[in-house]
């Protein structure tokens, strides 16, 4: 079957010469052909994501057109404005795929609002809401290596598409022939007919205004003298992040020169992920040279941000996503109480795999902490519920341990632009009172206990990877663990059992252990990985780390 598909593609006059060249290159190589044609990229709530190249199991203009035709078929049943917003990041072919999607939508009589230059995830979510669109499309593969690209689909609320809508779109995609089943028209024709329009300055400025409205201590940064090193990691963050920081008064910014401008090859780091040291290495070197208070990096689609803070001895320390989430929650609560801007019955939201330290901090300030399934759409769902009840002002912060944050209801996805603004404002504030982010974090640990949160990932690449991951999760359910590393399991919560959790079904197992530690096991929703999340609590870091190491060693034979 896959050989027939290969021959069909090889027998056609493809528009993209690079795809034609790749077809010639794999001729006679059955494994290479099978890898590209045996399956198709599956469309889900996170859209599509895959390696760039030829075939149904790769990201290319034909797969993008097919996906967009499926989306168009769904939009046509939705009434409303019959409009879709589109944005894209710096990845290879992101601009090409964005235009191809616009051309398919226009050919289906659906209006398009597309950014005239790369803009991040929060800008797409905002435009979807601003124009009251039926859907949004973001061309990105987030922090994957350079050989990947992807297609994220959003619903009318600016949140990633629901399971129900994604299932309908996927069914429509499967009815659409990948090579010639999608309608399309030239981009220039779409512009001429008014079907395709660029996103207006009113929308762009509206986003910036909404972000600035989330300041906790407006005006503080103008006089605090914060010294910052920033890296957009060759992605889409440069323009929006520097614009917002300039607007709030932070002008001592050194951009990492090798990572300043958009480049989908990501030449300085193979994995443009602000969670990992290698991506921040150049920025850290620059911070040490300049004596910056803070080093900050956003990922290619600028929905996630990582930081390194300056320590009293002049060294720099990477801050985990959990720690930044806790620091922001603490700063927002304290600052808003001080300024008299704290809403009544304030609500914060985090993913259930994020640190329980945040629950303790929220309780201290009288804030309701809601724990939701992994995936920022579930945080967006909580904002939507508050909005439906006329209480959206209660929302003060949402975060995930994977470096995603949102403060404000103006979008429904994580936003590295508002997070960058608040992190810098927080650092500027502590600097202005003779303290630092590092000192505040240590004070938090001294007050609540030394929590440690670590994640181990086990990769399962290739066509058989998903089967291996499914077998691991099935095995854990068939033979429930009674102890891990000598620590007795006191409770297991299986998030597939909705009657027990009150949440939608999810492939997540949570183990509570004697002594208070927790271990969470789940397969990634976007990568071929099984992840284990460890939370330990010790009298100091060494004790917490020692317990984590014991637990990880015990789980390795099961998950590897």
């Amino acid at each position: 079957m896959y050989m027939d598909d290969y021959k069909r593609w090889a027998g056609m006059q493809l528009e993209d010469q690079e795809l034609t060249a790749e077809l010639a290159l794999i001729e006679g190589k059955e494994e290479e052909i099978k890898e590209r044609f045996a399956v198709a990229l599956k469309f889900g709530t996170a859209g599509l994501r895959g390696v760039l190249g030829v075939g149904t199991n790769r990201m290319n203009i034909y797969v993008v057109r097919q996906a967009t035709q499926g989306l168009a078929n769904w939009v046509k049943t939705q009434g409303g404005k019959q409009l879709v917003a589109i944005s894209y990041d710096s990845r290879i072919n992101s601009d090409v795929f964005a235009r191809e999607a616009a051309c398919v939508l226009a050919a289906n009589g659906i209006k398009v609002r597309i950014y005239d230059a790369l803009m991040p995830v929060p800008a797409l979510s905002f435009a979807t809401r601003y124009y009251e669109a039926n859907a949004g499309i973001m061309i990105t593969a987030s922090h994957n290596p350079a050989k990947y690209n992807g297609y994220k689909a959003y619903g009318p609320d600016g949140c990633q598409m629901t399971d129900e809508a994604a299932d309908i779109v996927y069914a429509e995609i499967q009815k659409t022939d990948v090579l010639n089943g999608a309608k399309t028209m030239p981009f220039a024709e779409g512009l001429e007919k008014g079907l395709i329009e660029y996103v207006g300055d009113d929308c762009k400025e509206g986003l910036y205004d909404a972000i600035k409205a989330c300041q906790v201590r407006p005006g503080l940064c103008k006089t605090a003298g914060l010294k910052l090193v920033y890296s957009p990691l060759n992605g889409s963050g440069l323009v929006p992040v520097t614009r917002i920081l300039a607007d709030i008064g932070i002008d001592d910014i050194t951009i990492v020169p090798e990572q300043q401008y958009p480049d989908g090859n990501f030449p300085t780091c193979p994995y443009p992920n602000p969670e990992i040291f290698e991506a921040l290495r150049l920025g850290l070197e620059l911070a040490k040279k300049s004596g910056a208070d803070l080093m900050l990096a956003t990922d290619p689609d600028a929905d996630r941000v990582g930081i390194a803070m300056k320590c009293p001895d002049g060294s720099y320390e990477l801050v985990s996503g959990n720690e930044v989430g806790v620091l922001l929650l603490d700063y927002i609560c304290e600052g808003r109480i001080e300024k008299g801007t704290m809403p009544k019955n304030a609500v914060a939201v985090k993913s259930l795999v994020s640190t329980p330290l945040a629950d303790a901090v929220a309780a201290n300030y009288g804030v309701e902490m809601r724990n939701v399934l992994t995936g920022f759409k579930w945080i967006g769902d909580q904002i939507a519920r508050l909005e439906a009840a006329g209480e959206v002002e209660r929302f003060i912060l949402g975060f995930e341990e994977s470096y995603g944050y949102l403060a404000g209801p103006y979008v429904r996805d994580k936003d590295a632009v508002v997070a960058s603004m608040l992190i810098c404002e927080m650092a500027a504030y502590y600097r202005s009172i003779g303290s630092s982010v590092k000192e505040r974090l240590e004070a938090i640990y001294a007050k609540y206990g030394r929590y440690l949160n670590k994640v181990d990932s086990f990769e399962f690449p290739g066509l058989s990877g998903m089967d291996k991951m499914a077998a691991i999760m099935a095995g854990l359910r068939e033979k429930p663990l009674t102890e891990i590393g000598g620590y007795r399991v006191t409770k297991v919560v299986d998030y597939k059992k909705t009657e027990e959790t009150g949440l939608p079904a999810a492939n997540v197992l949570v183990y509570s252990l004697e002594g208070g530690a927790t271990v969470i096991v789940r397969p990634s929703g976007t990568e071929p990985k099984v992840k284990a999340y460890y939370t330990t609590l010790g009298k100091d870091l060494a004790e917490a780390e020692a317990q984590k190491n014991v637990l990880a060693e015990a789980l390795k034979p099961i998950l590897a």
Side-chain angles (χ1 to χ4, degrees), residues 137 158 357:
I137 298 168
L357 175 54

Side-chain angles (χ1 to χ4, degrees), residues 110-389:
I110 295 165
K111 290 181 180 175
V112 173
R113 282 284 193 164
I114 185 170
Y115 279 95
D116 55 3
L118 75 170
M119 281 293 276
V121 159
L124 182 276
S125 181
F126 187 84
T128 303
R129 293 172 61 78
Y130 185 86
Y131 289 115
E132 297 174 345
N134 295 82
I137 298 168
M138 179 74 200
I139 305 296
T140 178
S142 189
H143 55 280
N144 280 60
K147 65 181 181 179
Y148 284 83
N149 211 330
Y151 180 112
K152 285 169 87 169
Y154 288 75
D157 56 355
C159 213
Q160 280 190 44
M161 192 165 263
T162 63
D163 289 320
E164 295 77 19
D167 287 345
I168 295 167
V169 171
Y170 184 50
E172 292 297 328
I173 289 169
Q174 290 179 300
K175 294 178 196 170
T176 306
D177 183 86
V178 67
L179 289 175
N180 55 28
K183 298 176 185 176
T184 189
M185 69 163 57
F187 191 82
E189 186 185 337
L191 285 171
E192 194 180 310
K193 289 183 172 176
L195 286 161
I196 299 173
E197 287 185 72
Y198 290 112
V199 169
D201 287 342
D202 53 340
C203 178
K204 294 176 187 174
E205 291 302 317
L207 173 63
Y208 292 134
D209 289 344
I211 291 170
K212 284 181 283 190
C214 295
Q215 290 175 84
V216 176
R217 292 181 169 95
L220 172 92
C221 294
K222 292 187 171 83
T223 56
L226 186 78
K227 195 176 177 68
L228 176 72
V229 168
Y230 169 56
S231 172
L233 294 179
N234 301 115
S236 60
L238 178 66
V239 170
V241 171
T242 55
R243 158 69 194 270
I244 282 291
L245 295 183
D247 282 1
I248 68 165
I250 294 174
D251 50 19
D252 191 349
I253 306 174
T254 303
I255 311 288
V256 178
E258 302 92 334
Q259 297 172 338
Q260 180 165 1
Y261 297 112
D263 184 345
N265 294 295
F266 308 116
T268 62
C269 55
Y271 203 66
N273 183 350
E275 292 183 59
I276 62 172
F277 171 79
E278 188 53 35
L280 274 63
R281 184 176 55 80
L282 290 172
L284 282 165
E285 289 170 6
L286 207 51
K288 285 169 189 168
K289 279 182 196 166
S290 64
D293 299 293
L294 192 67
M295 189 266 147
L296 186 144
T298 52
D299 67 345
D301 58 349
D303 62 353
R304 302 186 317 132
V305 58
I307 68 167
M309 58 187 174
K310 189 178 185 181
C311 300
D313 64 0
S315 66
Y316 289 84
E317 188 179 306
L318 298 187
V319 190
S320 74
N322 274 315
E323 288 173 329
V324 171
V326 166
L327 281 161
L328 284 174
L329 178 63
D330 174 70
Y331 175 72
I332 290 167
C333 289
E334 186 192 53
R336 291 186 70 164
I337 289 168
E338 176 199 306
K339 293 289 181 184
T341 57
M342 188 68 146
K344 196 177 175 187
N345 302 319
V347 172
V349 191
K350 70 176 179 70
S351 59
L352 63 93
V353 297
S354 299
T355 180
L357 175 54
D359 299 78
V361 171
N364 178 66
Y365 287 108
V367 170
E368 179 191 347
M369 175 61 77
R370 297 182 181 179
N371 286 278
V372 296
L373 298 176
T374 307
F376 219 88
K377 66 180 179 181
W378 299 113
I379 294 175
D381 176 60
Q382 290 297 322
I383 302 171
R385 290 179 188 211
L386 289 168
E387 189 172 53

